[in-house]
PDB file of all heavy atoms in Angstrom:
ATOM      1  N   ASP A  23      97.529  25.266  30.479  1.00 90.00           N
ATOM      2  CA  ASP A  23      96.728  26.244  31.206  1.00 90.00           C
ATOM      3  C   ASP A  23      96.585  27.555  30.415  1.00 90.00           C
ATOM      4  O   ASP A  23      95.593  28.253  30.534  1.00 90.00           O
ATOM      5  CB  ASP A  23      97.301  26.505  32.601  1.00 90.00           C
ATOM      6  CG  ASP A  23      98.729  27.033  32.565  1.00 90.00           C
ATOM      7  OD1 ASP A  23      99.362  26.991  31.500  1.00 90.00           O
ATOM      8  OD2 ASP A  23      99.200  27.480  33.625  1.00 90.00           O
ATOM      9  N   THR A  24      97.583  27.874  29.570  1.00 92.00           N
ATOM     10  CA  THR A  24      97.470  29.091  28.750  1.00 92.00           C
ATOM     11  C   THR A  24      96.304  28.998  27.765  1.00 92.00           C
ATOM     12  O   THR A  24      95.675  30.012  27.449  1.00 92.00           O
ATOM     13  CB  THR A  24      98.790  29.352  27.981  1.00 92.00           C
ATOM     14  OG1 THR A  24      99.151  28.170  27.254  1.00 92.00           O
ATOM     15  CG2 THR A  24      99.897  29.745  28.942  1.00 92.00           C
ATOM     16  N   ASP A  25      95.992  27.782  27.292  1.00 93.00           N
ATOM     17  CA  ASP A  25      94.823  27.605  26.417  1.00 93.00           C
ATOM     18  C   ASP A  25      93.541  27.985  27.172  1.00 93.00           C
ATOM     19  O   ASP A  25      92.643  28.609  26.617  1.00 93.00           O
ATOM     20  CB  ASP A  25      94.717  26.148  25.939  1.00 93.00           C
ATOM     21  CG  ASP A  25      95.869  25.754  25.023  1.00 93.00           C
ATOM     22  OD1 ASP A  25      96.481  26.662  24.417  1.00 93.00           O
ATOM     23  OD2 ASP A  25      96.146  24.549  24.926  1.00 93.00           O
ATOM     24  N   ILE A  26      93.483  27.610  28.441  1.00 93.00           N
ATOM     25  CA  ILE A  26      92.306  27.924  29.262  1.00 93.00           C
ATOM     26  C   ILE A  26      92.181  29.428  29.447  1.00 93.00           C
ATOM     27  O   ILE A  26      91.103  30.004  29.294  1.00 93.00           O
ATOM     28  CB  ILE A  26      92.395  27.194  30.623  1.00 93.00           C
ATOM     29  CG1 ILE A  26      92.272  25.677  30.408  1.00 93.00           C
ATOM     30  CG2 ILE A  26      91.321  27.705  31.583  1.00 93.00           C
ATOM     31  CD1 ILE A  26      92.542  24.849  31.639  1.00 93.00           C
ATOM     32  N   TYR A  27      93.301  30.088  29.764  1.00 93.00           N
ATOM     33  CA  TYR A  27      93.256  31.541  29.974  1.00 93.00           C
ATOM     34  C   TYR A  27      92.864  32.274  28.691  1.00 93.00           C
ATOM     35  O   TYR A  27      92.097  33.237  28.734  1.00 93.00           O
ATOM     36  CB  TYR A  27      94.610  32.047  30.505  1.00 93.00           C
ATOM     37  CG  TYR A  27      94.998  31.423  31.826  1.00 93.00           C
ATOM     38  CD1 TYR A  27      96.286  30.959  32.041  1.00 93.00           C
ATOM     39  CD2 TYR A  27      94.071  31.290  32.856  1.00 93.00           C
ATOM     40  CE1 TYR A  27      96.650  30.379  33.254  1.00 93.00           C
ATOM     41  CE2 TYR A  27      94.423  30.714  34.067  1.00 93.00           C
ATOM     42  CZ  TYR A  27      95.708  30.260  34.260  1.00 93.00           C
ATOM     43  OH  TYR A  27      96.042  29.688  35.463  1.00 93.00           O
ATOM     44  N   HIS A  28      93.383  31.812  27.556  1.00 94.00           N
ATOM     45  CA  HIS A  28      93.006  32.420  26.266  1.00 94.00           C
ATOM     46  C   HIS A  28      91.511  32.217  25.994  1.00 94.00           C
ATOM     47  O   HIS A  28      90.840  33.108  25.461  1.00 94.00           O
ATOM     48  CB  HIS A  28      93.832  31.845  25.115  1.00 94.00           C
ATOM     49  CG  HIS A  28      95.254  32.309  25.098  1.00 94.00           C
ATOM     50  ND1 HIS A  28      95.623  33.626  25.141  1.00 94.00           N
ATOM     51  CD2 HIS A  28      96.418  31.604  25.045  1.00 94.00           C
ATOM     52  CE1 HIS A  28      96.933  33.728  25.117  1.00 94.00           C
ATOM     53  NE2 HIS A  28      97.449  32.509  25.068  1.00 94.00           N
ATOM     54  N   PHE A  29      91.007  31.053  26.355  1.00 95.00           N
ATOM     55  CA  PHE A  29      89.583  30.768  26.155  1.00 95.00           C
ATOM     56  C   PHE A  29      88.711  31.726  26.978  1.00 95.00           C
ATOM     57  O   PHE A  29      87.778  32.338  26.459  1.00 95.00           O
ATOM     58  CB  PHE A  29      89.281  29.317  26.543  1.00 95.00           C
ATOM     59  CG  PHE A  29      87.819  29.009  26.615  1.00 95.00           C
ATOM     60  CD1 PHE A  29      87.045  28.904  25.469  1.00 95.00           C
ATOM     61  CD2 PHE A  29      87.193  28.828  27.851  1.00 95.00           C
ATOM     62  CE1 PHE A  29      85.688  28.618  25.539  1.00 95.00           C
ATOM     63  CE2 PHE A  29      85.842  28.548  27.932  1.00 95.00           C
ATOM     64  CZ  PHE A  29      85.092  28.446  26.771  1.00 95.00           C
ATOM     65  N   ILE A  30      89.049  31.880  28.265  1.00 93.00           N
ATOM     66  CA  ILE A  30      88.256  32.762  29.134  1.00 93.00           C
ATOM     67  C   ILE A  30      88.337  34.208  28.644  1.00 93.00           C
ATOM     68  O   ILE A  30      87.326  34.916  28.558  1.00 93.00           O
ATOM     69  CB  ILE A  30      88.715  32.648  30.606  1.00 93.00           C
ATOM     70  CG1 ILE A  30      88.469  31.231  31.145  1.00 93.00           C
ATOM     71  CG2 ILE A  30      88.024  33.684  31.477  1.00 93.00           C
ATOM     72  CD1 ILE A  30      87.016  30.831  31.255  1.00 93.00           C
ATOM     73  N   ASP A  31      89.543  34.662  28.297  1.00 92.00           N
ATOM     74  CA  ASP A  31      89.694  36.024  27.769  1.00 92.00           C
ATOM     75  C   ASP A  31      88.899  36.199  26.481  1.00 92.00           C
ATOM     76  O   ASP A  31      88.286  37.240  26.249  1.00 92.00           O
ATOM     77  CB  ASP A  31      91.174  36.347  27.504  1.00 92.00           C
ATOM     78  CG  ASP A  31      91.945  36.605  28.786  1.00 92.00           C
ATOM     79  OD1 ASP A  31      91.301  36.873  29.828  1.00 92.00           O
ATOM     80  OD2 ASP A  31      93.191  36.533  28.752  1.00 92.00           O
ATOM     81  N   GLY A  32      88.915  35.178  25.641  1.00 92.00           N
ATOM     82  CA  GLY A  32      88.183  35.246  24.374  1.00 92.00           C
ATOM     83  C   GLY A  32      86.681  35.354  24.574  1.00 92.00           C
ATOM     84  O   GLY A  32      85.993  36.022  23.793  1.00 92.00           O
ATOM     85  N   LEU A  33      86.161  34.709  25.617  1.00 91.00           N
ATOM     86  CA  LEU A  33      84.723  34.809  25.897  1.00 91.00           C
ATOM     87  C   LEU A  33      84.337  36.246  26.240  1.00 91.00           C
ATOM     88  O   LEU A  33      83.272  36.719  25.828  1.00 91.00           O
ATOM     89  CB  LEU A  33      84.324  33.887  27.058  1.00 91.00           C
ATOM     90  CG  LEU A  33      84.262  32.394  26.769  1.00 91.00           C
ATOM     91  CD1 LEU A  33      83.787  31.653  28.006  1.00 91.00           C
ATOM     92  CD2 LEU A  33      83.366  32.092  25.589  1.00 91.00           C
ATOM     93  N   HIS A  34      85.200  36.951  26.971  1.00 87.00           N
ATOM     94  CA  HIS A  34      84.909  38.344  27.310  1.00 87.00           C
ATOM     95  C   HIS A  34      84.752  39.189  26.047  1.00 87.00           C
ATOM     96  O   HIS A  34      83.913  40.081  25.993  1.00 87.00           O
ATOM     97  CB  HIS A  34      86.025  38.931  28.187  1.00 87.00           C
ATOM     98  CG  HIS A  34      85.988  38.437  29.598  1.00 87.00           C
ATOM     99  ND1 HIS A  34      86.705  37.342  30.009  1.00 87.00           N
ATOM    100  CD2 HIS A  34      85.312  38.882  30.688  1.00 87.00           C
ATOM    101  CE1 HIS A  34      86.488  37.132  31.295  1.00 87.00           C
ATOM    102  NE2 HIS A  34      85.638  38.046  31.738  1.00 87.00           N
ATOM    103  N   ALA A  35      85.552  38.910  25.044  1.00 86.00           N
ATOM    104  CA  ALA A  35      85.504  39.694  23.804  1.00 86.00           C
ATOM    105  C   ALA A  35      84.409  39.206  22.863  1.00 86.00           C
ATOM    106  O   ALA A  35      83.809  40.005  22.142  1.00 86.00           O
ATOM    107  CB  ALA A  35      86.857  39.632  23.100  1.00 86.00           C
ATOM    108  N   ALA A  36      84.138  37.906  22.857  1.00 87.00           N
ATOM    109  CA  ALA A  36      83.240  37.339  21.844  1.00 87.00           C
ATOM    110  C   ALA A  36      81.757  37.477  22.187  1.00 87.00           C
ATOM    111  O   ALA A  36      80.935  37.712  21.305  1.00 87.00           O
ATOM    112  CB  ALA A  36      83.570  35.853  21.629  1.00 87.00           C
ATOM    113  N   LEU A  37      81.417  37.340  23.456  1.00 85.00           N
ATOM    114  CA  LEU A  37      80.002  37.338  23.820  1.00 85.00           C
ATOM    115  C   LEU A  37      79.452  38.756  23.910  1.00 85.00           C
ATOM    116  O   LEU A  37      80.143  39.660  24.399  1.00 85.00           O
ATOM    117  CB  LEU A  37      79.783  36.618  25.150  1.00 85.00           C
ATOM    118  CG  LEU A  37      80.137  35.134  25.190  1.00 85.00           C
ATOM    119  CD1 LEU A  37      79.731  34.525  26.521  1.00 85.00           C
ATOM    120  CD2 LEU A  37      79.512  34.373  24.049  1.00 85.00           C
ATOM    121  N   PRO A  38      78.207  38.959  23.476  1.00 82.00           N
ATOM    122  CA  PRO A  38      77.594  40.285  23.615  1.00 82.00           C
ATOM    123  C   PRO A  38      77.327  40.592  25.079  1.00 82.00           C
ATOM    124  O   PRO A  38      77.107  39.696  25.886  1.00 82.00           O
ATOM    125  CB  PRO A  38      76.286  40.151  22.824  1.00 82.00           C
ATOM    126  CG  PRO A  38      75.992  38.684  22.816  1.00 82.00           C
ATOM    127  CD  PRO A  38      77.315  37.986  22.851  1.00 82.00           C
ATOM    128  N   GLY A  39      77.347  41.871  25.411  1.00 81.00           N
ATOM    129  CA  GLY A  39      77.108  42.257  26.800  1.00 81.00           C
ATOM    130  C   GLY A  39      78.384  42.145  27.609  1.00 81.00           C
ATOM    131  O   GLY A  39      79.483  42.365  27.112  1.00 81.00           O
ATOM    132  N   ARG A  40      78.230  41.773  28.864  1.00 84.00           N
ATOM    133  CA  ARG A  40      79.377  41.709  29.782  1.00 84.00           C
ATOM    134  C   ARG A  40      79.434  40.335  30.422  1.00 84.00           C
ATOM    135  O   ARG A  40      78.430  39.819  30.913  1.00 84.00           O
ATOM    136  CB  ARG A  40      79.225  42.777  30.856  1.00 84.00           C
ATOM    137  CG  ARG A  40      80.381  42.843  31.829  1.00 84.00           C
ATOM    138  CD  ARG A  40      80.195  43.969  32.805  1.00 84.00           C
ATOM    139  NE  ARG A  40      80.212  45.237  32.127  1.00 84.00           N
ATOM    140  CZ  ARG A  40      81.233  46.077  32.121  1.00 84.00           C
ATOM    141  NH1 ARG A  40      82.334  45.755  32.749  1.00 84.00           N
ATOM    142  NH2 ARG A  40      81.168  47.219  31.500  1.00 84.00           N
ATOM    143  N   VAL A  41      80.624  39.753  30.416  1.00 88.00           N
ATOM    144  CA  VAL A  41      80.849  38.438  31.013  1.00 88.00           C
ATOM    145  C   VAL A  41      81.804  38.619  32.188  1.00 88.00           C
ATOM    146  O   VAL A  41      82.840  39.271  32.059  1.00 88.00           O
ATOM    147  CB  VAL A  41      81.459  37.459  29.987  1.00 88.00           C
ATOM    148  CG1 VAL A  41      81.764  36.123  30.645  1.00 88.00           C
ATOM    149  CG2 VAL A  41      80.509  37.270  28.811  1.00 88.00           C
ATOM    150  N   ARG A  42      81.427  38.035  33.332  1.00 90.00           N
ATOM    151  CA  ARG A  42      82.277  38.131  34.518  1.00 90.00           C
ATOM    152  C   ARG A  42      82.506  36.731  35.078  1.00 90.00           C
ATOM    153  O   ARG A  42      81.562  35.983  35.317  1.00 90.00           O
ATOM    154  CB  ARG A  42      81.617  39.023  35.566  1.00 90.00           C
ATOM    155  CG  ARG A  42      82.503  39.290  36.763  1.00 90.00           C
ATOM    156  CD  ARG A  42      81.928  40.334  37.658  1.00 90.00           C
ATOM    157  NE  ARG A  42      80.685  39.856  38.259  1.00 90.00           N
ATOM    158  CZ  ARG A  42      79.964  40.558  39.117  1.00 90.00           C
ATOM    159  NH1 ARG A  42      80.322  41.768  39.448  1.00 90.00           N
ATOM    160  NH2 ARG A  42      78.869  40.061  39.633  1.00 90.00           N
ATOM    161  N   LEU A  43      83.771  36.401  35.243  1.00 92.00           N
ATOM    162  CA  LEU A  43      84.139  35.090  35.786  1.00 92.00           C
ATOM    163  C   LEU A  43      83.785  35.039  37.269  1.00 92.00           C
ATOM    164  O   LEU A  43      84.208  35.879  38.052  1.00 92.00           O
ATOM    165  CB  LEU A  43      85.640  34.857  35.586  1.00 92.00           C
ATOM    166  CG  LEU A  43      86.185  33.508  36.049  1.00 92.00           C
ATOM    167  CD1 LEU A  43      85.565  32.363  35.255  1.00 92.00           C
ATOM    168  CD2 LEU A  43      87.704  33.485  35.914  1.00 92.00           C
ATOM    169  N   GLN A  44      83.001  34.043  37.663  1.00 92.00           N
ATOM    170  CA  GLN A  44      82.607  33.876  39.057  1.00 92.00           C
ATOM    171  C   GLN A  44      83.507  32.864  39.776  1.00 92.00           C
ATOM    172  O   GLN A  44      83.869  33.065  40.921  1.00 92.00           O
ATOM    173  CB  GLN A  44      81.148  33.390  39.146  1.00 92.00           C
ATOM    174  CG  GLN A  44      80.127  34.375  38.610  1.00 92.00           C
ATOM    175  CD  GLN A  44      80.046  35.600  39.479  1.00 92.00           C
ATOM    176  OE1 GLN A  44      79.795  35.518  40.662  1.00 92.00           O
ATOM    177  NE2 GLN A  44      80.271  36.760  38.885  1.00 92.00           N
ATOM    178  N   GLN A  45      83.824  31.787  39.056  1.00 94.00           N
ATOM    179  CA  GLN A  45      84.623  30.733  39.673  1.00 94.00           C
ATOM    180  C   GLN A  45      85.313  29.954  38.560  1.00 94.00           C
ATOM    181  O   GLN A  45      84.731  29.703  37.505  1.00 94.00           O
ATOM    182  CB  GLN A  45      83.724  29.805  40.494  1.00 94.00           C
ATOM    183  CG  GLN A  45      84.476  28.677  41.161  1.00 94.00           C
ATOM    184  CD  GLN A  45      83.537  27.746  41.918  1.00 94.00           C
ATOM    185  OE1 GLN A  45      82.329  27.794  41.744  1.00 94.00           O
ATOM    186  NE2 GLN A  45      84.104  26.901  42.758  1.00 94.00           N
ATOM    187  N   MET A  46      86.569  29.574  38.801  1.00 94.00           N
ATOM    188  CA  MET A  46      87.292  28.756  37.829  1.00 94.00           C
ATOM    189  C   MET A  46      88.183  27.780  38.589  1.00 94.00           C
ATOM    190  O   MET A  46      88.911  28.172  39.505  1.00 94.00           O
ATOM    191  CB  MET A  46      88.142  29.631  36.902  1.00 94.00           C
ATOM    192  CG  MET A  46      88.897  28.824  35.859  1.00 94.00           C
ATOM    193  SD  MET A  46      89.674  29.837  34.572  1.00 94.00           S
ATOM    194  CE  MET A  46      91.038  30.548  35.460  1.00 94.00           C
ATOM    195  N   VAL A  47      88.115  26.517  38.196  1.00 94.00           N
ATOM    196  CA  VAL A  47      88.942  25.481  38.805  1.00 94.00           C
ATOM    197  C   VAL A  47      89.668  24.756  37.681  1.00 94.00           C
ATOM    198  O   VAL A  47      89.064  24.327  36.698  1.00 94.00           O
ATOM    199  CB  VAL A  47      88.090  24.472  39.617  1.00 94.00           C
ATOM    200  CG1 VAL A  47      88.965  23.360  40.178  1.00 94.00           C
ATOM    201  CG2 VAL A  47      87.332  25.181  40.728  1.00 94.00           C
ATOM    202  N   ILE A  48      91.009  24.653  37.829  1.00 92.00           N
ATOM    203  CA  ILE A  48      91.826  23.896  36.882  1.00 92.00           C
ATOM    204  C   ILE A  48      92.472  22.764  37.656  1.00 92.00           C
ATOM    205  O   ILE A  48      93.185  22.990  38.645  1.00 92.00           O
ATOM    206  CB  ILE A  48      92.907  24.794  36.230  1.00 92.00           C
ATOM    207  CG1 ILE A  48      92.251  25.968  35.505  1.00 92.00           C
ATOM    208  CG2 ILE A  48      93.766  23.978  35.271  1.00 92.00           C
ATOM    209  CD1 ILE A  48      93.235  26.987  34.969  1.00 92.00           C
ATOM    210  N   GLU A  49      92.220  21.529  37.207  1.00 92.00           N
ATOM    211  CA  GLU A  49      92.760  20.348  37.882  1.00 92.00           C
ATOM    212  C   GLU A  49      93.554  19.515  36.888  1.00 92.00           C
ATOM    213  O   GLU A  49      93.268  19.526  35.687  1.00 92.00           O
ATOM    214  CB  GLU A  49      91.627  19.488  38.444  1.00 92.00           C
ATOM    215  CG  GLU A  49      90.761  20.187  39.474  1.00 92.00           C
ATOM    216  CD  GLU A  49      89.564  19.336  39.879  1.00 92.00           C
ATOM    217  OE1 GLU A  49      88.805  18.933  38.977  1.00 92.00           O
ATOM    218  OE2 GLU A  49      89.422  19.082  41.084  1.00 92.00           O
ATOM    219  N   LYS A  50      94.534  18.776  37.413  1.00 89.00           N
ATOM    220  CA  LYS A  50      95.270  17.839  36.562  1.00 89.00           C
ATOM    221  C   LYS A  50      94.345  16.691  36.179  1.00 89.00           C
ATOM    222  O   LYS A  50      93.586  16.193  36.991  1.00 89.00           O
ATOM    223  CB  LYS A  50      96.506  17.311  37.280  1.00 89.00           C
ATOM    224  CG  LYS A  50      97.634  18.297  37.307  1.00 89.00           C
ATOM    225  CD  LYS A  50      98.887  17.623  37.816  1.00 89.00           C
ATOM    226  CE  LYS A  50     100.054  18.564  37.625  1.00 89.00           C
ATOM    227  NZ  LYS A  50     101.329  17.946  37.965  1.00 89.00           N
ATOM    228  N   ASN A  51      94.487  16.280  34.925  1.00 80.00           N
ATOM    229  CA  ASN A  51      93.609  15.229  34.419  1.00 80.00           C
ATOM    230  C   ASN A  51      94.424  14.436  33.404  1.00 80.00           C
ATOM    231  O   ASN A  51      94.645  14.888  32.297  1.00 80.00           O
ATOM    232  CB  ASN A  51      92.370  15.857  33.770  1.00 80.00           C
ATOM    233  CG  ASN A  51      91.448  14.824  33.173  1.00 80.00           C
ATOM    234  OD1 ASN A  51      91.416  13.692  33.634  1.00 80.00           O
ATOM    235  ND2 ASN A  51      90.713  15.207  32.146  1.00 80.00           N
ATOM    236  N   GLY A  52      94.909  13.295  33.729  1.00 69.00           N
ATOM    237  CA  GLY A  52      95.686  12.501  32.781  1.00 69.00           C
ATOM    238  C   GLY A  52      97.052  12.173  33.317  1.00 69.00           C
ATOM    239  O   GLY A  52      97.371  12.375  34.488  1.00 69.00           O
ATOM    240  N   ASN A  53      97.912  11.699  32.413  1.00 66.00           N
ATOM    241  CA  ASN A  53      99.211  11.182  32.833  1.00 66.00           C
ATOM    242  C   ASN A  53     100.364  12.138  32.545  1.00 66.00           C
ATOM    243  O   ASN A  53     101.524  11.773  32.700  1.00 66.00           O
ATOM    244  CB  ASN A  53      99.480   9.834  32.149  1.00 66.00           C
ATOM    245  CG  ASN A  53      99.392   9.958  30.638  1.00 66.00           C
ATOM    246  OD1 ASN A  53      99.346  11.062  30.104  1.00 66.00           O
ATOM    247  ND2 ASN A  53      99.388   8.813  29.959  1.00 66.00           N
ATOM    248  N   GLY A  54     100.082  13.353  32.102  1.00 64.00           N
ATOM    249  CA  GLY A  54     101.138  14.332  31.862  1.00 64.00           C
ATOM    250  C   GLY A  54     101.827  14.184  30.528  1.00 64.00           C
ATOM    251  O   GLY A  54     102.912  14.724  30.322  1.00 64.00           O
ATOM    252  N   THR A  55     101.249  13.426  29.586  1.00 67.00           N
ATOM    253  CA  THR A  55     101.830  13.271  28.265  1.00 67.00           C
ATOM    254  C   THR A  55     101.762  14.606  27.528  1.00 67.00           C
ATOM    255  O   THR A  55     100.682  15.204  27.457  1.00 67.00           O
ATOM    256  CB  THR A  55     101.063  12.196  27.452  1.00 67.00           C
ATOM    257  OG1 THR A  55     101.005  11.004  28.221  1.00 67.00           O
ATOM    258  CG2 THR A  55     101.720  11.952  26.116  1.00 67.00           C
ATOM    259  N   PRO A  56     102.872  15.114  26.993  1.00 67.00           N
ATOM    260  CA  PRO A  56     102.854  16.402  26.286  1.00 67.00           C
ATOM    261  C   PRO A  56     101.872  16.388  25.122  1.00 67.00           C
ATOM    262  O   PRO A  56     101.817  15.430  24.348  1.00 67.00           O
ATOM    263  CB  PRO A  56     104.300  16.557  25.790  1.00 67.00           C
ATOM    264  CG  PRO A  56     105.107  15.685  26.687  1.00 67.00           C
ATOM    265  CD  PRO A  56     104.214  14.542  27.067  1.00 67.00           C
TER     266      PRO A  56
END
């Protein structure tokens, strides 16, 4: 999940103008293999 948070934070810095998160859903997907 930290990769996801870094990605969203990075979009705020990388994209021109202003980016505002409207909705975010994180769901489990897979068998939990590290």
Side-chain angles (χ1 to χ4, degrees):
D23 60 348
T24 53
D25 294 337
I26 293 172
Y27 300 135
H28 287 308
F29 169 73
I30 296 294
D31 285 342
L33 286 183
H34 286 93
L37 297 186
R40 182 177 296 257
V41 177
R42 186 171 66 179
L43 182 63
Q44 296 292 303
Q45 180 182 14
M46 181 170 74
V47 177
I48 301 173
E49 299 174 305
K50 283 190 171 186
N51 178 28
N53 56 12
T55 307

